[in-house]
Amino acid sequence: SAAARRPWRLFGAMCLLRLPRITQPLEKEEEEVAALMEQIELERSLYSDHEMRKLEEEEQLRKKMESLYDEDEVHGKTVIMAQDLEEKWEQKFLGFKAAPRITDADKNNDRTSLNRKLDSNLMLLVKHKIGNQELWLLPQVEWQPGETLRSTAERAMATFLGDHIQAKVLGNAPYGIYKYKFPKAIRTENNVGAKVFFFKAFLQSSDLSQAQLKADYLWVTKKELGDYLQSEYLKKVNRFLLD
Amino acid sequence: TPESVPPHALRCFSSCSSWLPQRVALRGSHWQSSLLGVRTSLPVRAQPKKKKKVDVKKEQAQKERMKKKLKKLEKAAPELIPIEDFITPLKYTESNRVRSLPTLSPEESERRVLLLKKWCLFKQKQDEAEKKAIKALVESQQEALRELQLESEELYQAAI
């Protein structure tokens, strides 16, 4: 187009999210109400078949004690009581060991691992060299004429993680924007600053063994972003992150 | 007997000999029993055609009858199909199934009511937070699209 060349450089950045793998723990109120609901459900229910059987067997046992009438000896067979079944089930339950919610990576605080914070979203941060600074940012590359900004963001992802990354980009429209002006030293009339457009994607597979990681990277949760991102940038990014 | 044939009859036969072969030929054809039978052969050949007409008419009449039946059924209001889950099996209506539990103490009922009120408030706050987050998300996207439009109409169109 014949429009005057805008003085802003355009960048496309990708916010790549690894979705949570387990549920978040319940809050105190949620736990209390869940317990109450269970109690009410029990109160309003009728006896189940298993419970009926248990009650009948208890009744029979009591009668046997009272009347000293030993039926088992007469028939010579052992009967499995409902109580025995319950004990068996209890033993089985105690023997079950659930997978740990806190992984080794959590204990070591290894932030490069994807196998941590299984109940939260994890985001990819990459170290960029901007000017003469090294900054932690969401992966970004500069826009090239001929591609849409979404492709720019996808290219950013591929640049840092390799081509075999499996991610689902959420739509064509950017989720947020961070605008900044270059320091006065390098600012010119035609090169005032940069606009970084953020896109969101969900990581489809946790298998990044194929990925060729080109620079320093981290996977962090929303709360941990503050440790790495500058305040203005962080503010803009936080707006489009749902916890 | 051949001896009793008079001589003038023989002469008759000889004059008739010219058309005799024709008569024999006609007699030889398999679908005609006599000259007069020629007319009866025509209806035999046309029989398949009549079958088609009659059948077509019958079929049409059948179809119309079916259509009328369908219309009648459709006009009738649809019956409600009883939902299986809502019918309690009879064995659960026996009275000995009723659970025997101690009645709730007033403290317990009080505790429950207060807990539910707390829950109401908790859920309300949660809902408000969600709405706020969604609003921020939408605003962020609107801002980004505005800036993009300022930059390049082409990229903006690709984005929406």
Side-chain angles (χ1 to χ4, degrees):
Chain A
S1 61
R5 228 180 126 256
R6 303 270 313 170
W8 297 93
R9 285 170 64 183
L10 301 180
F11 287 83
M14 184 62 84
C15 177
L16 185 60
L17 290 166
R18 186 223 66 185
L19 295 171
R21 289 229 278 262
I22 55 179
T23 55
Q24 291 187 335
L26 294 175
E27 307 213 11
K28 189 169 77 85
E29 288 92 342
E30 288 177 324
E31 283 208 30
E32 284 175 6
V33 173
L36 177 63
M37 291 295 138
E38 267 197 51
Q39 220 176 336
I40 292 178
E41 199 184 308
L42 184 72
E43 285 164 12
R44 292 196 190 171
S45 67
L46 298 172
Y47 284 128
S48 69
D49 289 341
H50 173 83
E51 283 179 312
M52 291 296 288
R53 179 180 159 181
K54 202 166 152 194
L55 285 173
E56 281 169 10
E57 285 173 6
E58 279 174 9
E59 191 67 29
Q60 280 177 7
L61 204 63
R62 220 178 320 131
K63 278 191 189 157
K64 256 202 276 177
M65 300 295 202
E66 283 170 11
S67 64
L68 301 168
Y69 175 52
D70 213 340
E71 209 176 299
D72 276 341
E73 272 198 37
V74 174
H75 291 284
K77 62 173 180 178
T78 47
V79 177
I80 301 176
M81 305 264 285
Q83 185 65 39
D84 301 330
L85 275 175
E86 278 192 12
E87 281 169 17
K88 207 168 75 167
W89 295 334
E90 185 71 31
Q91 288 300 314
K92 200 168 170 191
F93 179 61
L94 290 170
F96 171 75
K97 195 163 176 285
R101 292 178 74 101
I102 315 267
T103 63
D104 290 332
D106 277 318
K107 290 187 205 142
N108 301 333
N109 202 15
D110 176 17
R111 292 191 174 181
T112 59
S113 159
L114 259 185
N115 205 19
R116 66 184 282 264
K117 296 284 182 192
L118 295 173
D119 63 352
S120 326
N121 285 333
L122 282 185
M123 265 158 288
L124 181 66
L125 283 184
V126 182
K127 219 175 210 179
H128 289 74
K129 199 157 157 61
I130 308 280
N132 52 2
Q133 279 183 308
E134 284 208 332
L135 298 171
W136 283 108
L137 301 170
L138 296 178
Q140 68 180 46
V141 288
E142 187 157 2
W143 171 77
Q144 284 165 1
E147 62 177 3
T148 61
L149 273 171
R150 177 184 159 160
S151 327
T152 317
E154 285 171 348
R155 195 160 54 86
M157 212 165 49
T159 312
F160 291 104
L161 290 177
D163 287 326
H164 297 281
I165 201 78
Q166 278 176 11
K168 188 170 175 168
V169 183
L170 301 177
N172 284 331
Y175 274 75
I177 176 172
Y178 175 62
K179 207 162 70 170
Y180 67 97
K181 289 190 174 159
F182 292 139
K184 288 226 166 82
I186 57 168
R187 209 188 301 175
T188 66
E189 241 192 62
N190 283 340
N191 211 4
V192 171
K195 287 188 183 177
V196 185
F197 290 93
F198 299 105
F199 287 79
K200 245 192 193 179
F202 289 151
L203 190 65
Q204 298 291 83
S205 81
S206 286
D207 176 27
L208 289 181
S209 53
Q210 292 261 338
Q212 310 123 33
L213 293 120
K214 304 264 169 66
D216 285 345
Y217 68 98
L218 286 179
W219 291 96
V220 292
T221 61
K222 188 177 176 195
K223 294 196 191 85
E224 293 164 355
L225 282 177
D227 298 340
Y228 302 96
L229 301 180
Q230 296 181 318
S231 64
E232 284 303 314
Y233 188 86
L234 177 66
K235 257 204 278 186
K236 292 293 183 164
V237 169
N238 267 337
R239 280 177 74 192
F240 63 81
L241 291 178
L242 296 171
D243 207 16
Chain B
T1 53
E3 294 97 19
S4 58
V5 171
H8 67 273
L10 278 168
R11 250 181 284 133
C12 251
F13 273 110
S14 62
S15 63
C16 294
S17 65
S18 58
W19 52 269
L20 191 61
Q22 287 170 344
R23 208 170 173 177
V24 168
L26 282 169
R27 284 217 177 154
S29 56
H30 60 279
W31 63 77
Q32 266 181 324
S33 47
S34 64
L35 271 173
L36 289 170
V38 174
R39 279 199 205 109
T40 59
S41 70
L42 282 170
V44 175
R45 252 189 289 157
Q47 196 65 27
K49 276 188 199 162
K50 253 198 190 167
K51 258 190 190 167
K52 279 186 200 167
K53 278 186 201 162
V54 168
D55 274 352
V56 162
K57 277 188 192 167
K58 272 189 189 167
E59 273 177 39
Q60 275 177 342
Q62 262 181 344
K63 277 184 197 170
E64 273 168 43
R65 267 181 263 147
M66 288 293 286
K67 277 183 200 169
K68 278 185 189 168
K69 278 185 191 168
L70 278 170
K71 275 184 199 169
K72 273 191 188 167
L73 283 172
E74 273 170 29
K75 274 186 195 169
E79 271 177 37
L80 297 168
I81 307 168
I83 304 173
E84 294 293 321
D85 293 333
F86 288 171
I87 309 168
T88 339
L90 285 169
K91 73 171 179 176
Y92 294 129
T93 52
E94 288 167 22
S95 60
N96 64 346
R97 286 237 181 197
V98 175
R99 208 174 275 276
S100 57
L101 291 162
T103 51
L104 291 176
S105 66
E107 292 93 12
E108 178 63 19
S109 343
E110 184 76 21
R111 177 193 83 98
R112 288 187 181 187
V113 167
L114 286 173
L115 181 60
L116 288 173
K117 283 191 179 173
K118 242 188 2 176
W119 178 246
C120 243
L121 199 68
F122 173 80
K123 266 301 187 187
Q124 187 192 35
K125 291 221 166 78
Q126 199 184 53
D127 193 42
E128 274 174 21
E130 267 180 32
K131 291 203 169 108
K132 206 169 135 189
I134 292 175
K135 199 159 163 239
L137 190 81
V138 169
E139 273 173 13
S140 168
Q141 190 167 61
Q142 304 279 29
E143 189 196 337
L145 285 172
R146 268 202 304 272
E147 292 282 338
L148 184 59
Q149 196 175 26
L150 286 177
E151 285 299 311
S152 141
E153 190 63 36
E154 204 183 299
L155 288 176
Y156 176 75
Q157 286 302 324
I160 58 169

